[in-house]
Amino acid sequence: MYNTKNSKSGFTLIELIIVILVISIFGALTADILANAVNIYSSALNRQKFISEARSSFFKIKREASWQKNPESFSGSSNKKLNIFSVDGSVIDYEIKNNNQIIQNNNQIANSNNEILTDKIDYNNSMIYYVGQQGNEINIVSQLDDVKSLMLDFQFNNGDESIRLKGHALPYNLHIGRAMSYHE
């Protein structure tokens, strides 16, 4: 016969410790997985922000370079600086600085001088090339009148991430040809 008086239903101390230990292990694993997910998300967000900043800077300069009025308006430009004098009289210039910034000056907008467009440009690996009628690079100082287009070659870096963007800008007023005296 069984003694029913001594039989108690419930868990022993060892069983409770084992359950708490198992829950603790699963909790620690879950916390680790969540921490890794947050790190991955943060990294992807930072990478996307970097790519967006690089593309935005590049395409802004490329778009505004197409507004150039005439080849003489490139006067003062170099492989690290682009002066733009648009048809409406706006003066915009961009300069790649050796502190890895692109600085923008724009007389269309009040208080927009020395504005940092980006601080992620690689100074040593980024250039503005001026291209002549035959598609070859020309010297902007000695062959100013021969400029027909621009080629932008920009390297952007952010820690261990990098992106290189290249593209041609064809200023509208340069590919039509020279204005006749009665058009000016």
Side-chain angles (χ1 to χ4, degrees):
M1 264 208 166
Y2 292 107
N3 186 359
T4 57
K5 276 185 164 180
N6 291 339
S7 174
K8 295 180 182 177
S9 64
F11 298 104
T12 66
L13 183 59
I14 291 181
E15 290 171 332
L16 287 175
I17 291 173
I18 290 172
V19 168
I20 291 171
L21 186 63
V22 168
I23 289 172
S24 299
I25 290 171
F26 283 131
L29 289 173
T30 303
D32 189 43
I33 289 170
L34 287 175
N36 284 337
V38 167
N39 288 339
I40 291 169
Y41 176 76
S42 177
S43 175
L45 197 61
N46 288 337
R47 178 174 168 71
Q48 186 58 42
K49 182 180 174 188
F50 163 63
I51 290 170
S52 293
E53 181 179 329
R55 285 181 176 169
S56 174
S57 301
F58 178 81
F59 288 114
K60 179 178 179 58
I61 294 170
K62 185 177 174 184
R63 181 187 72 236
E64 291 178 2
S66 71
W67 301 344
Q68 190 65 290
K69 185 176 179 179
N70 56 47
E72 292 82 22
S73 297
F74 285 119
S75 180
S77 294
S78 69
N79 290 105
K80 300 292 183 182
K81 184 175 183 180
L82 174 60
N83 294 328
I84 302 167
F85 296 88
S86 66
V87 176
D88 68 357
S90 304
V91 179
I92 305 167
D93 66 68
Y94 296 97
E95 185 171 1
I96 302 169
K97 299 288 213 171
N98 60 4
N99 62 356
N100 297 327
Q101 295 178 338
I102 296 179
I103 303 295
Q104 172 189 359
N105 292 301
N106 184 344
N107 77 345
Q108 293 175 314
I109 304 167
N111 301 321
S112 69
N113 288 328
N114 294 318
E115 195 172 290
I116 299 171
L117 193 60
T118 183
D119 61 355
K120 294 175 178 53
I121 189 89
D122 183 340
Y123 178 82
N124 294 323
N125 293 311
S126 299
M127 298 287 266
I128 302 167
Y129 298 100
Y130 300 88
V131 181
Q133 184 70 33
Q134 306 303 320
N136 54 334
E137 181 186 348
I138 61 173
N139 183 319
I140 188 66
V141 175
S142 63
Q143 298 172 298
L144 185 62
D145 290 338
D146 297 333
V147 176
K148 296 298 178 201
S149 67
L150 300 153
M151 206 264 290
L152 306 175
D153 182 3
F154 291 172
Q155 175 79 32
F156 296 89
N157 295 326
N158 186 31
D160 60 345
E161 302 283 339
S162 70
I163 184 171
R164 181 175 215 99
L165 299 172
K166 287 183 173 184
H168 285 273
L170 185 60
Y172 179 73
N173 291 321
L174 300 185
H175 75 271
I176 292 176
R178 291 212 168 272
M180 302 304 278
S181 60
Y182 51 83
H183 288 146
E184 293 180 352

